[in-house]
Amino acid sequence: MRLAGFMKTSDFRVVPLRTEIAEAARRAAGSGAADHAIVTADSPRGFPCRHCLRWAQPGERLILFPFAAIPPGRPYSETGPIFVHAEPCERYAATGEFPADFRQGRVFRAYNSARDMIDAEVVNGSESEAVIEKLLQNPETAFVDARSVTRGCYTFRMERI
Ligand SMILES: [Zn+2]
């Protein structure tokens, strides 16, 4: 039995994009791959880096490339565009904490172990953790993906600890 309250340890961990995927994207962009674009952020809330889980600031360069958040071979397979900083950045390390930059404008999608989507909820603000924990309370839920509620792009994954 867990204790509820302010000191409660979160029941989930944040899974940012793997560093080797960010590095591969930087290499591919550097070699001119047609599906890897180098872009410059021109607004403070339009270019989320999936590796450090921060918004790129205007003027920072990023790589835009397709990422298979749900790999091919299943009905809910999904590949879509994501950004990572063009310069090396530090992978998000506070994996026990919801990333502060993404409390607004996310939808949480719950998937089962077969990678079928089984639930989804739009989340804004401080209820983020409560919704994650509610989705993870379903024993069928294997992981929860946060995506942009407007453009649908994959942002990061959350798993049970
Ligand atoms: Zn970054």
Side-chain angles (χ1 to χ4, degrees), residues 3 12-13 24-25 29 33 43 52 58 66-67 73-74 77 81 83 86 95 97 99 102 106 112 120 152 158:
L3 296 175
F12 65 92
R13 69 165 159 249
S43 75
C52 61
F67 174 67
R74 294 291 306 167
S77 298
F83 296 111
T95 55
E97 297 168 26
F102 300 108
R106 297 301 114 183
N112 65 17
M158 292 155 285

XYZ file of all heavy atoms in Angstrom, residues 3 12-13 24-25 29 33 43 52 58 66-67 73-74 77 81 83 86 95 97 99 102 106 112 120 152 158:
201
model
N 1.399 5.415 0.332
C 0.851 6.556 1.046
C 0.529 7.666 0.055
O 1.343 7.981 -0.809
C 1.857 7.070 2.072
C 2.205 6.095 3.195
C 3.316 6.684 4.064
C 0.972 5.827 4.044
N 5.275 6.664 -12.071
C 5.651 6.546 -13.474
C 7.037 7.142 -13.670
O 7.520 7.920 -12.850
C 4.643 7.263 -14.369
C 4.616 8.748 -14.165
C 5.418 9.588 -14.940
C 3.804 9.328 -13.204
C 5.408 10.955 -14.746
C 3.789 10.694 -13.002
C 4.591 11.515 -13.773
N 7.647 6.740 -14.766
C 8.883 7.413 -15.154
C 8.716 7.915 -16.583
O 8.047 7.283 -17.413
C 10.100 6.508 -15.018
C 10.126 5.398 -16.022
C 11.499 4.738 -16.113
N 11.324 3.408 -16.681
C 11.496 2.285 -15.986
N 11.889 2.336 -14.749
N 11.270 1.119 -16.547
N 21.731 9.797 -34.273
C 21.561 9.303 -35.645
C 20.860 10.346 -36.507
O 21.188 10.527 -37.693
C 20.769 7.992 -35.637
N 19.888 11.056 -35.927
C 19.178 12.090 -36.682
C 20.126 13.225 -37.056
O 20.065 13.760 -38.172
C 18.006 12.623 -35.856
N 20.971 14.206 -40.868
C 20.767 15.568 -41.376
C 22.067 16.120 -41.937
O 22.076 16.769 -42.992
C 20.239 16.472 -40.261
N 20.255 13.702 -45.701
C 19.104 12.809 -45.901
C 17.844 13.628 -46.202
O 17.558 14.622 -45.531
C 18.889 11.957 -44.652
N 9.731 30.576 -32.856
C 8.769 30.912 -31.804
C 9.152 30.112 -30.567
O 9.812 29.077 -30.676
C 7.337 30.574 -32.241
O 7.134 29.175 -32.186
N 15.953 16.518 -24.813
C 16.100 17.222 -23.529
C 14.751 17.626 -22.946
O 14.679 18.095 -21.809
C 17.015 18.440 -23.675
S 16.446 19.712 -24.826
N 13.846 30.650 -29.825
C 14.020 31.223 -31.160
C 15.498 31.417 -31.482
O 16.265 31.912 -30.657
C 13.274 32.563 -31.059
C 12.214 32.303 -30.039
C 12.849 31.379 -29.028
N 11.212 11.950 -39.221
C 10.116 11.047 -38.841
C 10.577 10.013 -37.820
O 11.660 9.441 -37.956
C 9.748 10.376 -40.171
C 10.995 10.408 -40.979
C 11.791 11.615 -40.527
N 9.734 9.778 -36.813
C 10.040 8.827 -35.742
C 8.868 7.874 -35.571
O 7.705 8.307 -35.501
C 10.304 9.586 -34.433
C 10.480 8.688 -33.233
C 11.579 7.848 -33.131
C 9.545 8.685 -32.215
C 11.738 7.014 -32.026
C 9.689 7.862 -31.105
C 10.792 7.030 -31.015
N 3.819 -2.641 -38.257
C 3.420 -4.033 -38.075
C 2.194 -4.237 -37.216
O 1.774 -5.373 -37.009
N 1.608 -3.152 -36.712
C 0.406 -3.243 -35.873
C -0.616 -2.230 -36.375
O -0.259 -1.248 -37.018
C 0.744 -2.937 -34.406
C 1.641 -3.948 -33.730
C 0.971 -5.282 -33.494
N -0.300 -5.092 -32.759
C -1.224 -6.042 -32.625
N -1.036 -7.225 -33.176
N -2.335 -5.799 -31.962
N 0.220 1.312 -35.553
C 1.557 1.781 -35.939
C 1.483 3.242 -36.352
O 0.525 3.658 -37.015
C 2.077 0.959 -37.121
O 2.206 -0.389 -36.742
N 6.458 13.268 -37.457
C 7.580 14.192 -37.345
C 7.873 14.589 -35.902
O 6.962 14.852 -35.121
C 7.096 15.408 -38.152
C 5.600 15.360 -38.015
C 5.234 13.899 -37.978
N 11.128 16.835 -33.479
C 12.334 17.659 -33.476
C 13.315 17.149 -32.419
O 12.901 16.695 -31.346
C 12.017 19.114 -33.066
C 11.124 19.878 -33.989
C 9.831 20.220 -33.601
C 11.575 20.309 -35.224
C 9.007 20.966 -34.431
C 10.756 21.057 -36.058
C 9.461 21.378 -35.662
N 19.659 20.445 -32.966
C 20.721 20.119 -33.927
C 22.063 19.988 -33.222
O 22.913 19.197 -33.644
C 20.792 21.197 -35.012
N 13.592 11.910 -14.603
C 12.572 11.026 -15.171
C 11.439 10.716 -14.200
O 10.419 10.174 -14.611
C 13.207 9.724 -15.669
O 13.946 9.137 -14.592
C 14.154 9.999 -16.826
N 9.864 13.118 -12.728
C 9.040 14.329 -12.711
C 8.482 14.608 -14.089
O 9.192 14.485 -15.094
C 9.888 15.539 -12.280
C 10.427 15.427 -10.875
C 11.494 16.488 -10.607
O 11.452 17.552 -11.266
O 12.362 16.230 -9.763
N 7.738 16.638 -17.204
C 8.507 17.775 -17.741
C 7.697 19.072 -17.705
O 6.624 19.163 -18.299
C 8.804 17.361 -19.185
C 8.536 15.905 -19.252
C 7.524 15.591 -18.195
N 5.876 20.865 -20.651
C 4.792 20.236 -21.429
C 3.537 20.000 -20.607
O 2.825 19.013 -20.801
C 5.310 18.946 -22.071
C 6.467 19.217 -22.988
C 7.750 18.851 -22.634
C 6.276 19.904 -24.178
C 8.832 19.150 -23.459
C 7.349 20.210 -25.010
C 8.622 19.833 -24.649
N -1.225 18.900 -24.195
C -0.859 17.506 -24.488
C -2.099 16.618 -24.425
O -3.057 16.906 -23.703
C 0.147 16.939 -23.479
C 1.496 17.589 -23.416
C 2.273 17.567 -24.711
N 2.429 18.927 -25.191
C 3.009 19.260 -26.328
N 3.489 18.338 -27.135
N 3.080 20.516 -26.695
N -1.763 -0.801 -24.762
C -1.534 -2.075 -24.081
C -0.229 -2.697 -24.571
O 0.490 -2.109 -25.386
C -2.743 -3.006 -24.250
C -2.960 -3.430 -25.696
O -2.070 -3.302 -26.529
N -4.155 -3.927 -25.986
N -7.454 7.491 -24.103
C -6.793 8.757 -24.403
C -7.518 9.868 -23.673
O -8.740 9.807 -23.482
C -6.780 9.033 -25.914
N -0.615 16.662 -33.016
C -0.601 15.213 -32.870
C 0.772 14.596 -32.728
O 0.891 13.377 -32.606
N 5.632 7.590 -21.080
C 5.662 7.353 -19.639
C 5.353 5.886 -19.384
O 4.485 5.305 -20.023
C 4.635 8.249 -18.931
C 5.013 9.736 -19.004
S 3.589 10.839 -18.845
C 2.825 10.655 -20.447
